[in-house]
Amino acid sequence: MCNQIFAGAGIEPAPDAVAPGYHDECLVIDDDPDIRRLVSHALSRIGVSSVGLDSAGALEGVLKSTHPSVIFLDVALDRSDAIDGIRILERTRFKGAVQLISGKDPNLVDAVRAIGERHGLKMLAPLQKPFRSEQLRRIFEGAKIEVPNETTPRKELGEPHVGASNPPHPHVDLAEALASHWVDIAYQPKVDLVRNRVVGAEGLARLSHPTHGILGPESFLQGASDTALRDLTAFAIRKAFLDWEVLATTGRNLQLAVNAPVRALLDPGLTRLVREPPRCEGWPGLILEVTESEAIEELDAVAEAATQLRIYDVGLAIDDFGSGYSSFARLKQLPFSELKLDQSYVRNCATDPLNAGICRSIVDLARASGAVSVAEGVETAHDLTALVRMCCDLGQGYYFGRPMTVGKLIERVDADGNIAPRAVLLAAP
Ligand code: G
Ligand code: MN
């Protein structure tokens, strides 16, 4: 099948085509045959088959008969470019992921990625040439795309399932999900960047759907009723209380955080709920995370609720900070205890001067407000080093660990807060 489809000019089968049944897994579009061969070969070593194309022009025809889950797309092609490719992918309603590969200026590549996102495509973090084959495996892991010929499909709680045959975010009714007990909470470690220790974890709602697999909040928050959102928040808080006790009895006293939509935060039932925290000794209190953009909409009410919650050792974190473009003069009214740097600024803060400047300002702002700064979406050692240099307090992201079950958290974090298997190695500031 592979050879039939790709017998046309400019199209070639990958070397070492693998495992029958997975021929449509990836496309590699690069005008440099060596790069095509390198990528295809590296993919075949992790069990993913691929085919190469030398220009974006051939894409439209190829997509009629094949449905790749990932397209590796060079930014500058000989007779075409990635923007041509992006337009074709939008036209053909491509549902997989696009991995830009380029040796060009990273700012330009980021701009191309942003264009892809504007065209509704799932754009992965660009890969700079030259790259190592190990990075390719991480792309599959990082993009939460299943490597197709693994014998047992991985269905871990923290990993929303996005595959070629699945729409990216199927919509599920939250009330139904709660009633059917499909909702669970996965925890992502938060690491003290000075002490190199896991000190907390953010609870993230995940839904195990019988047909769609593991889904993230994109699939169930939008359109959810106020009641369902309140029920979800209450569920997450109750679960955090129980899970904290489990963690504490194994010697891991982590401060847990729960996301709260403002509508749930303002519900009097929530205050009643947090008046009943675990009674065990050492309870560090809970963090409720509210996004900046929601908090700014109802500033007075949120400030009042946050003050009341403080009485019960519940602190407020302003989530995705920097993405709401609010004036800090207004946010100042909020009694927050954490500022969480939006992932879009943390990503590439080691190399992008604008991102670095924004991160630095937020870290300073947190310090001046007596709050803890938390960088979200830390994915690389480079960005981590930059954040340490800025004196950011805590970090969270795939570099340290993905959202995981409480059992996995206990497995991966020891009683001293060391995280395995990856040692948290920081370059000296
Ligand atoms: O906005 P909030 O902090 O609630 O959402 C965090 C989301 O970001 C979660 O869905 C989580 O899975 C995701 N996430 C966590 N760490 C990383 C990371 O390092 N990179 C990316 N791209 N996403 C992350
Ligand atoms: Mn959050």
Side-chain angles (χ1 to χ4, degrees), residues 144 158 188 202 204 206 217-218 259 289 291 319-320 340 343 347 376-379 396-399 401 403:
K144 303 161 191 155
Q188 188 175 38
E202 175 179 358
L204 295 154
R206 294 289 184 257
E218 313 75 30
N259 290 286
E289 299 194 2
T291 62
D319 208 357
D320 305 336
K340 299 196 80 177
Q343 316 195 358
R347 193 177 302 125
E376 290 200 295
V378 181
E379 291 185 358
Q396 178 185 340
Y398 295 167
Y399 182 79

PDB file of all heavy atoms in Angstrom, residues 144 158 188 202 204 206 217-218 259 289 291 319-320 340 343 347 376-379 396-399 401 403, ligand 1:
ATOM      1  N   LYS A 144       1.627  13.945  23.072  1.00  0.00           N
ATOM      2  CA  LYS A 144       0.603  13.015  23.535  1.00  0.00           C
ATOM      3  C   LYS A 144       0.040  12.215  22.362  1.00  0.00           C
ATOM      4  O   LYS A 144      -1.123  11.912  22.282  1.00  0.00           O
ATOM      5  CB  LYS A 144      -0.525  13.746  24.264  1.00  0.00           C
ATOM      6  CG  LYS A 144      -0.045  14.564  25.433  1.00  0.00           C
ATOM      7  CD  LYS A 144      -1.080  15.575  25.799  1.00  0.00           C
ATOM      8  CE  LYS A 144      -0.547  16.594  26.775  1.00  0.00           C
ATOM      9  NZ  LYS A 144      -1.248  17.843  26.719  1.00  0.00           N
ATOM     10  N   GLY A 158      -3.020  11.084  33.179  1.00  0.00           N
ATOM     11  CA  GLY A 158      -2.596  12.445  32.889  1.00  0.00           C
ATOM     12  C   GLY A 158      -2.429  12.761  31.420  1.00  0.00           C
ATOM     13  O   GLY A 158      -2.074  13.861  31.063  1.00  0.00           O
ATOM     14  N   GLN A 188       0.255  17.285  38.837  1.00  0.00           N
ATOM     15  CA  GLN A 188       1.537  17.619  38.213  1.00  0.00           C
ATOM     16  C   GLN A 188       2.442  18.258  39.271  1.00  0.00           C
ATOM     17  O   GLN A 188       2.031  19.218  39.938  1.00  0.00           O
ATOM     18  CB  GLN A 188       1.321  18.586  37.052  1.00  0.00           C
ATOM     19  CG  GLN A 188       2.601  18.795  36.267  1.00  0.00           C
ATOM     20  CD  GLN A 188       2.407  19.645  35.030  1.00  0.00           C
ATOM     21  OE1 GLN A 188       1.642  20.606  35.069  1.00  0.00           O
ATOM     22  NE2 GLN A 188       3.100  19.322  33.966  1.00  0.00           N
ATOM     23  N   GLU A 202      -0.205  20.397  41.304  1.00  0.00           N
ATOM     24  CA  GLU A 202      -1.480  20.958  40.840  1.00  0.00           C
ATOM     25  C   GLU A 202      -2.384  19.818  40.386  1.00  0.00           C
ATOM     26  O   GLU A 202      -1.975  18.968  39.592  1.00  0.00           O
ATOM     27  CB  GLU A 202      -1.258  21.935  39.674  1.00  0.00           C
ATOM     28  CG  GLU A 202      -2.591  22.421  39.099  1.00  0.00           C
ATOM     29  CD  GLU A 202      -2.456  23.422  37.938  1.00  0.00           C
ATOM     30  OE1 GLU A 202      -1.319  23.792  37.584  1.00  0.00           O
ATOM     31  OE2 GLU A 202      -3.511  23.822  37.408  1.00  0.00           O
ATOM     32  N   LEU A 204      -5.226  18.436  38.189  1.00  0.00           N
ATOM     33  CA  LEU A 204      -5.825  18.789  36.896  1.00  0.00           C
ATOM     34  C   LEU A 204      -6.907  17.777  36.558  1.00  0.00           C
ATOM     35  O   LEU A 204      -6.686  16.564  36.644  1.00  0.00           O
ATOM     36  CB  LEU A 204      -4.739  18.794  35.813  1.00  0.00           C
ATOM     37  CG  LEU A 204      -3.679  19.885  36.013  1.00  0.00           C
ATOM     38  CD1 LEU A 204      -2.360  19.492  35.375  1.00  0.00           C
ATOM     39  CD2 LEU A 204      -4.161  21.207  35.443  1.00  0.00           C
ATOM     40  N   ARG A 206      -9.181  15.338  34.669  1.00  0.00           N
ATOM     41  CA  ARG A 206      -9.072  14.484  33.485  1.00  0.00           C
ATOM     42  C   ARG A 206     -10.307  13.592  33.435  1.00  0.00           C
ATOM     43  O   ARG A 206     -10.838  13.214  34.467  1.00  0.00           O
ATOM     44  CB  ARG A 206      -7.824  13.588  33.567  1.00  0.00           C
ATOM     45  CG  ARG A 206      -6.515  14.360  33.527  1.00  0.00           C
ATOM     46  CD  ARG A 206      -6.266  14.925  32.147  1.00  0.00           C
ATOM     47  NE  ARG A 206      -4.986  15.584  32.043  1.00  0.00           N
ATOM     48  CZ  ARG A 206      -4.820  16.901  32.052  1.00  0.00           C
ATOM     49  NH1 ARG A 206      -5.846  17.707  32.220  1.00  0.00           N
ATOM     50  NH2 ARG A 206      -3.623  17.429  31.906  1.00  0.00           N
ATOM     51  N   PRO A 217      -9.463  19.282  29.956  1.00  0.00           N
ATOM     52  CA  PRO A 217     -10.562  20.225  30.197  1.00  0.00           C
ATOM     53  C   PRO A 217     -11.120  20.874  28.931  1.00  0.00           C
ATOM     54  O   PRO A 217     -12.266  21.307  28.929  1.00  0.00           O
ATOM     55  CB  PRO A 217      -9.934  21.302  31.085  1.00  0.00           C
ATOM     56  CG  PRO A 217      -8.600  20.807  31.476  1.00  0.00           C
ATOM     57  CD  PRO A 217      -8.241  19.626  30.669  1.00  0.00           C
ATOM     58  N   GLU A 218     -10.310  20.915  27.834  1.00  0.00           N
ATOM     59  CA  GLU A 218     -10.811  21.505  26.589  1.00  0.00           C
ATOM     60  C   GLU A 218     -12.089  20.801  26.147  1.00  0.00           C
ATOM     61  O   GLU A 218     -12.916  21.367  25.455  1.00  0.00           O
ATOM     62  CB  GLU A 218      -9.793  21.364  25.427  1.00  0.00           C
ATOM     63  CG  GLU A 218      -8.366  21.723  25.730  1.00  0.00           C
ATOM     64  CD  GLU A 218      -7.632  20.672  26.549  1.00  0.00           C
ATOM     65  OE1 GLU A 218      -7.928  19.472  26.450  1.00  0.00           O
ATOM     66  OE2 GLU A 218      -6.762  21.088  27.336  1.00  0.00           O
ATOM     67  N   ASN A 259      -7.793  23.843  40.438  1.00  0.00           N
ATOM     68  CA  ASN A 259      -8.287  24.939  39.587  1.00  0.00           C
ATOM     69  C   ASN A 259      -9.741  25.237  39.921  1.00  0.00           C
ATOM     70  O   ASN A 259     -10.539  24.320  40.108  1.00  0.00           O
ATOM     71  CB  ASN A 259      -8.180  24.544  38.117  1.00  0.00           C
ATOM     72  CG  ASN A 259      -6.736  24.483  37.679  1.00  0.00           C
ATOM     73  OD1 ASN A 259      -6.094  25.514  37.505  1.00  0.00           O
ATOM     74  ND2 ASN A 259      -6.202  23.283  37.545  1.00  0.00           N
ATOM     75  N   GLU A 289      -6.623  27.910  42.206  1.00  0.00           N
ATOM     76  CA  GLU A 289      -6.092  28.659  41.067  1.00  0.00           C
ATOM     77  C   GLU A 289      -7.230  29.246  40.239  1.00  0.00           C
ATOM     78  O   GLU A 289      -8.138  28.523  39.820  1.00  0.00           O
ATOM     79  CB  GLU A 289      -5.267  27.731  40.162  1.00  0.00           C
ATOM     80  CG  GLU A 289      -4.082  27.128  40.878  1.00  0.00           C
ATOM     81  CD  GLU A 289      -3.086  26.494  39.923  1.00  0.00           C
ATOM     82  OE1 GLU A 289      -3.292  26.562  38.690  1.00  0.00           O
ATOM     83  OE2 GLU A 289      -2.098  25.940  40.414  1.00  0.00           O
ATOM     84  N   THR A 291      -7.942  31.864  36.909  1.00  0.00           N
ATOM     85  CA  THR A 291      -7.202  32.500  35.819  1.00  0.00           C
ATOM     86  C   THR A 291      -7.295  34.020  35.954  1.00  0.00           C
ATOM     87  O   THR A 291      -8.299  34.554  36.439  1.00  0.00           O
ATOM     88  CB  THR A 291      -7.725  32.096  34.426  1.00  0.00           C
ATOM     89  OG1 THR A 291      -9.067  32.522  34.306  1.00  0.00           O
ATOM     90  CG2 THR A 291      -7.620  30.613  34.191  1.00  0.00           C
ATOM     91  N   ASP A 319      -3.690  32.255  37.908  1.00  0.00           N
ATOM     92  CA  ASP A 319      -3.223  31.303  36.901  1.00  0.00           C
ATOM     93  C   ASP A 319      -3.044  32.002  35.556  1.00  0.00           C
ATOM     94  O   ASP A 319      -3.711  33.006  35.288  1.00  0.00           O
ATOM     95  CB  ASP A 319      -4.313  30.218  36.769  1.00  0.00           C
ATOM     96  CG  ASP A 319      -3.747  28.881  36.340  1.00  0.00           C
ATOM     97  OD1 ASP A 319      -2.536  28.803  36.094  1.00  0.00           O
ATOM     98  OD2 ASP A 319      -4.527  27.924  36.259  1.00  0.00           O
ATOM     99  N   ASP A 320      -2.181  31.438  34.723  1.00  0.00           N
ATOM    100  CA  ASP A 320      -1.951  31.959  33.366  1.00  0.00           C
ATOM    101  C   ASP A 320      -1.659  33.458  33.410  1.00  0.00           C
ATOM    102  O   ASP A 320      -2.146  34.218  32.561  1.00  0.00           O
ATOM    103  CB  ASP A 320      -3.171  31.694  32.455  1.00  0.00           C
ATOM    104  CG  ASP A 320      -3.558  30.224  32.422  1.00  0.00           C
ATOM    105  OD1 ASP A 320      -2.676  29.384  32.688  1.00  0.00           O
ATOM    106  OD2 ASP A 320      -4.723  29.921  32.140  1.00  0.00           O
ATOM    107  N   LYS A 340       1.207  32.602  38.753  1.00  0.00           N
ATOM    108  CA  LYS A 340       1.675  31.531  37.861  1.00  0.00           C
ATOM    109  C   LYS A 340       1.921  32.092  36.470  1.00  0.00           C
ATOM    110  O   LYS A 340       0.990  32.533  35.792  1.00  0.00           O
ATOM    111  CB  LYS A 340       0.638  30.407  37.822  1.00  0.00           C
ATOM    112  CG  LYS A 340       0.412  29.777  39.196  1.00  0.00           C
ATOM    113  CD  LYS A 340      -0.306  28.450  39.104  1.00  0.00           C
ATOM    114  CE  LYS A 340       0.643  27.324  38.728  1.00  0.00           C
ATOM    115  NZ  LYS A 340      -0.058  26.023  38.709  1.00  0.00           N
ATOM    116  N   GLN A 343       2.341  29.779  30.424  1.00  0.00           N
ATOM    117  CA  GLN A 343       3.276  28.919  29.674  1.00  0.00           C
ATOM    118  C   GLN A 343       3.827  29.580  28.416  1.00  0.00           C
ATOM    119  O   GLN A 343       4.943  29.314  28.008  1.00  0.00           O
ATOM    120  CB  GLN A 343       2.584  27.661  29.177  1.00  0.00           C
ATOM    121  CG  GLN A 343       1.692  26.965  30.128  1.00  0.00           C
ATOM    122  CD  GLN A 343       1.363  25.556  29.623  1.00  0.00           C
ATOM    123  OE1 GLN A 343       1.788  25.163  28.549  1.00  0.00           O
ATOM    124  NE2 GLN A 343       0.641  24.800  30.413  1.00  0.00           N
ATOM    125  N   ARG A 347       7.844  29.307  27.783  1.00  0.00           N
ATOM    126  CA  ARG A 347       8.411  28.577  26.649  1.00  0.00           C
ATOM    127  C   ARG A 347       9.431  29.474  25.943  1.00  0.00           C
ATOM    128  O   ARG A 347       9.135  30.616  25.612  1.00  0.00           O
ATOM    129  CB  ARG A 347       7.297  28.166  25.688  1.00  0.00           C
ATOM    130  CG  ARG A 347       7.709  27.156  24.665  1.00  0.00           C
ATOM    131  CD  ARG A 347       6.546  26.738  23.781  1.00  0.00           C
ATOM    132  NE  ARG A 347       5.429  26.190  24.528  1.00  0.00           N
ATOM    133  CZ  ARG A 347       4.186  26.654  24.446  1.00  0.00           C
ATOM    134  NH1 ARG A 347       3.899  27.667  23.661  1.00  0.00           N
ATOM    135  NH2 ARG A 347       3.223  26.110  25.167  1.00  0.00           N
ATOM    136  N   GLU A 376       4.942  27.957  34.768  1.00  0.00           N
ATOM    137  CA  GLU A 376       4.218  26.802  34.220  1.00  0.00           C
ATOM    138  C   GLU A 376       4.782  26.438  32.862  1.00  0.00           C
ATOM    139  O   GLU A 376       5.277  27.307  32.149  1.00  0.00           O
ATOM    140  CB  GLU A 376       2.759  27.186  33.995  1.00  0.00           C
ATOM    141  CG  GLU A 376       1.966  27.385  35.230  1.00  0.00           C
ATOM    142  CD  GLU A 376       0.491  27.274  34.891  1.00  0.00           C
ATOM    143  OE1 GLU A 376       0.019  28.125  34.138  1.00  0.00           O
ATOM    144  OE2 GLU A 376      -0.158  26.345  35.362  1.00  0.00           O
ATOM    145  N   GLY A 377       4.684  25.176  32.495  1.00  0.00           N
ATOM    146  CA  GLY A 377       5.090  24.775  31.148  1.00  0.00           C
ATOM    147  C   GLY A 377       6.602  24.749  30.969  1.00  0.00           C
ATOM    148  O   GLY A 377       7.100  25.025  29.881  1.00  0.00           O
ATOM    149  N   VAL A 378       7.343  24.411  32.042  1.00  0.00           N
ATOM    150  CA  VAL A 378       8.801  24.286  31.902  1.00  0.00           C
ATOM    151  C   VAL A 378       9.072  22.965  31.176  1.00  0.00           C
ATOM    152  O   VAL A 378       8.708  21.899  31.670  1.00  0.00           O
ATOM    153  CB  VAL A 378       9.501  24.267  33.289  1.00  0.00           C
ATOM    154  CG1 VAL A 378      11.007  24.156  33.125  1.00  0.00           C
ATOM    155  CG2 VAL A 378       9.123  25.492  34.093  1.00  0.00           C
ATOM    156  N   GLU A 379       9.652  23.080  30.015  1.00  0.00           N
ATOM    157  CA  GLU A 379       9.861  21.869  29.214  1.00  0.00           C
ATOM    158  C   GLU A 379      11.330  21.553  28.981  1.00  0.00           C
ATOM    159  O   GLU A 379      11.674  20.431  28.633  1.00  0.00           O
ATOM    160  CB  GLU A 379       9.145  22.005  27.861  1.00  0.00           C
ATOM    161  CG  GLU A 379       7.637  21.986  27.985  1.00  0.00           C
ATOM    162  CD  GLU A 379       6.926  21.989  26.645  1.00  0.00           C
ATOM    163  OE1 GLU A 379       7.604  22.036  25.613  1.00  0.00           O
ATOM    164  OE2 GLU A 379       5.685  21.955  26.656  1.00  0.00           O
ATOM    165  N   GLN A 396       6.972  24.152  37.124  1.00  0.00           N
ATOM    166  CA  GLN A 396       6.023  23.059  36.872  1.00  0.00           C
ATOM    167  C   GLN A 396       6.033  22.844  35.365  1.00  0.00           C
ATOM    168  O   GLN A 396       6.063  23.815  34.615  1.00  0.00           O
ATOM    169  CB  GLN A 396       4.651  23.532  37.362  1.00  0.00           C
ATOM    170  CG  GLN A 396       3.513  22.592  37.170  1.00  0.00           C
ATOM    171  CD  GLN A 396       2.182  23.226  37.597  1.00  0.00           C
ATOM    172  OE1 GLN A 396       2.150  24.192  38.355  1.00  0.00           O
ATOM    173  NE2 GLN A 396       1.094  22.692  37.088  1.00  0.00           N
ATOM    174  N   GLY A 397       6.033  21.602  34.924  1.00  0.00           N
ATOM    175  CA  GLY A 397       6.009  21.374  33.480  1.00  0.00           C
ATOM    176  C   GLY A 397       6.541  20.001  33.137  1.00  0.00           C
ATOM    177  O   GLY A 397       6.988  19.254  34.009  1.00  0.00           O
ATOM    178  N   TYR A 398       6.472  19.689  31.851  1.00  0.00           N
ATOM    179  CA  TYR A 398       6.851  18.347  31.407  1.00  0.00           C
ATOM    180  C   TYR A 398       8.302  18.020  31.755  1.00  0.00           C
ATOM    181  O   TYR A 398       8.665  16.869  31.856  1.00  0.00           O
ATOM    182  CB  TYR A 398       6.647  18.214  29.890  1.00  0.00           C
ATOM    183  CG  TYR A 398       5.207  18.306  29.452  1.00  0.00           C
ATOM    184  CD1 TYR A 398       4.888  18.477  28.104  1.00  0.00           C
ATOM    185  CD2 TYR A 398       4.162  18.225  30.364  1.00  0.00           C
ATOM    186  CE1 TYR A 398       3.576  18.559  27.686  1.00  0.00           C
ATOM    187  CE2 TYR A 398       2.854  18.307  29.952  1.00  0.00           C
ATOM    188  CZ  TYR A 398       2.561  18.476  28.623  1.00  0.00           C
ATOM    189  OH  TYR A 398       1.263  18.555  28.206  1.00  0.00           O
ATOM    190  N   TYR A 399       9.144  19.034  31.899  1.00  0.00           N
ATOM    191  CA  TYR A 399      10.535  18.758  32.250  1.00  0.00           C
ATOM    192  C   TYR A 399      10.606  17.970  33.562  1.00  0.00           C
ATOM    193  O   TYR A 399      11.432  17.073  33.736  1.00  0.00           O
ATOM    194  CB  TYR A 399      11.323  20.062  32.383  1.00  0.00           C
ATOM    195  CG  TYR A 399      12.780  19.829  32.706  1.00  0.00           C
ATOM    196  CD1 TYR A 399      13.678  19.472  31.716  1.00  0.00           C
ATOM    197  CD2 TYR A 399      13.242  19.928  34.015  1.00  0.00           C
ATOM    198  CE1 TYR A 399      15.006  19.220  32.011  1.00  0.00           C
ATOM    199  CE2 TYR A 399      14.564  19.685  34.328  1.00  0.00           C
ATOM    200  CZ  TYR A 399      15.439  19.331  33.324  1.00  0.00           C
ATOM    201  OH  TYR A 399      16.742  19.068  33.619  1.00  0.00           O
ATOM    202  N   GLY A 401       7.683  16.579  35.136  1.00  0.00           N
ATOM    203  CA  GLY A 401       6.724  15.478  35.136  1.00  0.00           C
ATOM    204  C   GLY A 401       5.385  15.917  34.594  1.00  0.00           C
ATOM    205  O   GLY A 401       4.989  17.077  34.735  1.00  0.00           O
ATOM    206  N   PRO A 403       1.144  15.459  34.349  1.00  0.00           N
ATOM    207  CA  PRO A 403       0.114  15.134  35.336  1.00  0.00           C
ATOM    208  C   PRO A 403       0.002  13.621  35.489  1.00  0.00           C
ATOM    209  O   PRO A 403       0.078  12.894  34.508  1.00  0.00           O
ATOM    210  CB  PRO A 403      -1.158  15.723  34.709  1.00  0.00           C
ATOM    211  CG  PRO A 403      -0.664  16.773  33.764  1.00  0.00           C
ATOM    212  CD  PRO A 403       0.646  16.293  33.256  1.00  0.00           C
TER     213      PRO A 403
HETATM  214  O1    G B   1      -3.822  26.731  33.019  1.00  0.00           O
HETATM  215  P1    G B   1      -3.529  25.567  33.872  1.00  0.00           P
HETATM  216  O2    G B   1      -2.315  25.714  34.691  1.00  0.00           O
HETATM  217  O3    G B   1      -4.647  25.114  34.742  1.00  0.00           O
HETATM  218  O4    G B   1      -3.327  24.370  32.841  1.00  0.00           O
HETATM  219  C1    G B   1      -2.231  23.612  32.818  1.00  0.00           C
HETATM  220  C2    G B   1      -2.330  22.757  31.549  1.00  0.00           C
HETATM  221  O5    G B   1      -1.088  22.782  30.907  1.00  0.00           O
HETATM  222  C3    G B   1      -2.653  21.319  31.855  1.00  0.00           C
HETATM  223  O6    G B   1      -3.637  20.833  30.992  1.00  0.00           O
HETATM  224  C4    G B   1      -1.343  20.592  31.658  1.00  0.00           C
HETATM  225  O7    G B   1      -1.509  19.277  31.183  1.00  0.00           O
HETATM  226  C5    G B   1      -0.627  21.474  30.656  1.00  0.00           C
HETATM  227  N1    G B   1       0.809  21.448  30.880  1.00  0.00           N
HETATM  228  C6    G B   1       1.443  21.243  32.031  1.00  0.00           C
HETATM  229  N2    G B   1       2.782  21.286  31.870  1.00  0.00           N
HETATM  230  C7    G B   1       2.993  21.528  30.567  1.00  0.00           C
HETATM  231  C8    G B   1       4.177  21.680  29.780  1.00  0.00           C
HETATM  232  O8    G B   1       5.314  21.600  30.243  1.00  0.00           O
HETATM  233  N3    G B   1       3.984  21.948  28.475  1.00  0.00           N
HETATM  234  C9    G B   1       2.749  22.056  27.919  1.00  0.00           C
HETATM  235  N4    G B   1       2.674  22.305  26.608  1.00  0.00           N
HETATM  236  N5    G B   1       1.622  21.907  28.621  1.00  0.00           N
HETATM  237  C10   G B   1       1.733  21.646  29.940  1.00  0.00           C
END
